Amino acid sequence: MEKPNHEVDIEKSAGTVAVSLRTNSSEHTALTPLHPSRYYQNSVHGTSGSKTLPDSKPEASSEFIPRNDMPLHANISANNLAVGLLGPLLFGLGFVDSAMCAFGRILMGAAATAYMSIWGAQSGNRTMIVLRYFMGYWPAKLPCVLNMILMIGYGTIDCIIGGQILSAVSGDTMSVVVGIVIIALVSWVVAVFGMAIFQKYERYAWAPQLFVLLILIGTAARSFNPSLQSTNIQTGKPLKAGPLTVARLSFFSLQLFVPVSWAAASSDFYVYYPENTKPWKCFSLTMLGLTLSFMFVNMIGIGLGSGTFANPAWKEAHAVSSGSLIVAAYSDLGTFGKVCGVIVALGLINNSVPGTYASALAFQVLGRYGKMVPRYLCVCIIVFIYFVSAVAGRNHLFDILQNFVALMGYWTMVMVVIVLAEQTLFKRGKRFDWEGWEDRKVLPLGIAAMVAFLVGWVGAIVGMYQHWYVGPVAKKVGGVGADIGVWIGCAFAMVVFVPLRWWELRRFGR
């Protein structure tokens, strides 16, 4: 029997944002699917034209279970450990309070991201392209821009923490700036020249990170303080009911924003999976990977933060930087501990490279002018931006984590709410024309989605509690203020989107 001719058309000018399967025969041959990271390889240097990849998106057999370890390994990194530190060290929460807040919100954030991942296999499109089917061609460009900012922000955080760790390992003989240069330079080299190597590395990158973090637990856990109570950082007195609720709510929201930030790219890691891959498989793998990685690393961060109050060496190290605190936790191991610290620092590259590349892809999705810019040039510009940002903000890591992560979390959750409402209320049981990703006659106008997105932002603004701005509603929470922007924003978006979308369908039919 003649083997069917599978051809996958990939528009490289858009960063392989659209994949369509064409077959010359109705029969299909079961083939081993490509690893999801192969989407990087097939578009590293392409800037225009198209390329045909045979047999790259076959039909799945009934036994097929997709493999995707990106949500796991990319998040076993020091940047998420630093988020765990914020519970005890910034919000004054005790060990149990911090752990419960982290667990609840990581589950919610991971679920939102896992939901967005189900579209990659069935559509063959990346998240920013999938959004066109829910928000319209033009409105979907706004999340593209915001996603670029999001990924650049996380690149900045990775560089700062990596620079702090490398500086601490050197005994402060090397400045944090030099450490930032090293992290940014290696990230740039890998993203521009070494993606093929990175694809192989990333399959196993979680192993050394997991190994050194388990060593950290073994050597530092005796200084963790599980009995630490929630206290006022300034006065040292126990937090009363009102301020305690505020602290819990603020850390609660922050822990939600970190895993949900992957929602803007989660479909990307499944675009090369068979079209008939069950959505629940993509959902389950993403949910499991994010939950395990975030909970594991956050609990280490919470433990380090709790131990800082009773361990003078850790307290002194934390006064220097978060990276110094991580290195101090390995201090009993001598030179081997410093080697572990270097591995932790270099593990941040595994987190920054996918974000760097996703940001470059988002730029090319913006339109025809974005397609004209070579992807390697986009990567160069992006790395330069987060390098400069990291140098400028190297002494303000906690402020960046608290304010930037929250700011990006608002729009991501509003986006998920709009997609969920469109699917469950207006597209239930209906098929999408995934071939029409650039056909504006097929895509919705996006009036309802755009208005709901902007109104959701208004809700987030009135409910946000940040260092640089406190919304009028946020001020009234608990008598001292708390961040409830994400909840108000999502509620506003839902209330506006449903009736407007009903009107839009009645008026325009799409």
Side-chain angles (χ1 to χ4, degrees):
M1 183 180 66
E2 182 181 359
K3 182 179 179 179
N5 181 21
H6 297 270
E7 293 181 332
V8 178
D9 289 344
I10 298 184
E11 186 176 3
K12 294 176 66 179
S13 60
T16 55
V17 293
V19 180
S20 60
L21 178 68
R22 297 204 311 267
T23 62
N24 295 334
S25 170
S26 60
E27 300 183 36
H28 297 277
T29 302
L31 300 169
T32 302
L34 297 177
H35 188 272
S37 62
R38 284 290 301 277
Y39 81 96
Y40 286 128
Q41 181 178 354
N42 296 314
S43 58
V44 171
H45 298 297
T47 57
S48 62
S50 62
K51 179 179 180 181
T52 299
L53 298 178
D55 302 322
S56 60
K57 196 173 172 65
E59 292 294 317
S61 66
S62 59
E63 295 84 11
F64 173 74
I65 298 179
R67 176 189 172 202
N68 189 358
D69 45 15
M70 178 70 78
L72 176 66
H73 71 69
N75 293 299
I76 303 180
S77 56
N79 59 334
N80 295 318
L81 189 153
V83 175
L85 293 173
L86 298 177
L89 299 179
L90 181 65
F91 297 105
L93 290 174
F95 187 94
V96 175
D97 279 332
S98 296
M100 294 304 294
C101 289
F103 181 72
R105 277 305 170 253
I106 286 172
L107 284 177
M108 180 176 289
T113 296
Y115 167 70
M116 291 300 297
S117 74
I118 69 175
W119 304 105
Q122 61 182 284
S123 71
N125 294 321
R126 307 189 187 287
T127 311
M128 292 296 107
I129 290 296
V130 169
L131 284 181
R132 294 180 180 181
Y133 289 86
F134 297 94
M135 297 185 67
Y137 181 84
W138 293 107
K141 294 181 183 294
L142 180 56
C144 283
V145 174
L146 293 172
N147 190 42
M148 290 174 58
I149 298 172
L150 173 65
M151 296 302 175
I152 290 172
Y154 276 111
T156 301
I157 293 170
D158 290 336
C159 284
I160 293 175
I161 299 175
Q164 290 178 350
I165 293 174
L166 292 177
S167 176
V169 167
S170 71
D172 295 326
T173 58
M174 182 179 72
S175 69
V176 174
V177 174
V178 175
I180 291 173
V181 170
I182 293 173
I183 300 297
L185 184 61
V186 176
S187 298
W188 173 76
V189 170
V190 173
V192 173
F193 300 108
M195 289 305 297
I197 297 175
F198 178 76
Q199 292 151 22
K200 297 177 182 178
Y201 160 77
E202 56 92 8
R203 296 191 186 188
Y204 313 102
W206 59 270
Q209 289 296 301
L210 179 62
F211 178 69
V212 296
L213 289 176
L214 287 174
I215 290 175
L216 188 149
I217 295 174
T219 187
R222 64 179 180 273
S223 294
F224 292 179
N225 185 7
S227 62
L228 179 70
Q229 300 299 308
S230 298
T231 57
N232 186 302
I233 297 295
Q234 283 74 34
T235 65
K237 296 180 180 180
L239 285 174
K240 297 180 180 180
L244 177 58
T245 300
V246 167
R248 287 172 175 170
L249 186 58
S250 296
F251 188 56
F252 210 62
S253 299
L254 188 63
Q255 285 288 349
L256 164 69
F257 297 146
V258 179
V260 84
S261 63
W262 280 97
S266 57
S267 290
D268 297 23
F269 306 117
Y270 293 93
V271 294
Y272 270 67
Y273 281 23
E275 185 178 356
N276 62 339
T277 301
K278 298 296 184 182
W280 70 263
K281 293 180 179 179
C282 299
F283 181 95
S284 300
L285 285 170
T286 306
M287 181 76 181
L288 183 64
L290 290 176
T291 302
L292 290 178
S293 58
F294 277 113
M295 279 306 304
F296 173 68
V297 179
N298 266 274
M299 287 305 298
I300 297 175
I302 292 169
L304 287 176
S306 67
T308 302
F309 294 94
N311 189 316
W314 286 12
K315 186 174 183 179
E316 182 179 349
H318 175 252
V320 177
S321 69
S322 299
S324 296
L325 174 58
I326 295 172
V327 174
Y330 286 109
S331 60
D332 290 345
L333 301 180
T335 302
F336 178 68
K338 293 184 177 182
V339 173
C340 292
V342 172
I343 294 174
V344 171
L346 295 180
L348 288 159
I349 295 168
N350 193 49
N351 187 273
S352 66
V353 170
T356 300
Y357 216 69
S359 185
L361 290 172
F363 180 79
Q364 294 187 312
V365 170
L366 285 175
R368 56 182 179 178
Y369 296 111
K371 298 175 186 178
M372 296 170 62
V373 181
R375 193 161 313 120
Y376 69 86
L377 182 58
C378 293
V379 170
C380 292
I381 295 172
I382 290 164
V383 173
F384 178 77
I385 292 173
Y386 67 62
F387 162 71
V388 173
S389 301
V391 172
R394 63 189 183 277
N395 297 322
H396 306 283
L397 176 62
F398 272 18
D399 289 337
I400 294 174
L401 282 171
Q402 182 185 9
N403 296 301
F404 169 79
V405 172
L407 193 62
M408 292 297 99
Y410 298 140
W411 75 263
T412 312
M413 278 302 297
V414 170
M415 174 195 76
V416 173
V417 165
I418 291 174
V419 173
L420 183 62
E422 175 73 5
Q423 184 207 7
T424 56
L425 300 179
F426 301 103
K427 293 290 179 65
R428 180 182 291 273
K430 298 180 181 179
R431 294 181 61 85
F432 291 89
D433 179 10
W434 297 118
E435 301 289 340
W437 61 277
E438 258 192 331
D439 186 352
R440 300 173 197 175
K441 295 180 181 179
V442 173
L443 301 171
L445 291 177
I447 297 173
M450 189 63 179
V451 173
F453 191 81
L454 296 176
V455 171
W457 258 106
V458 172
I461 291 172
V462 301
M464 70 168 55
Y465 190 100
Q466 302 300 326
H467 179 72
W468 47 274
Y469 175 78
V470 179
V473 177
K475 292 179 181 178
K476 300 182 181 299
V477 180
V480 294
D483 190 348
I484 55 173
V486 65
W487 315 115
I488 299 179
C490 289
F492 277 24
M494 179 64 80
V495 169
V496 171
F497 177 75
V498 174
L500 272 183
R501 184 60 177 144
W502 178 85
W503 168 83
E504 185 179 3
L505 287 171
R506 294 268 296 183
R507 178 67 176 82
F508 302 102
R510 59 186 175 97

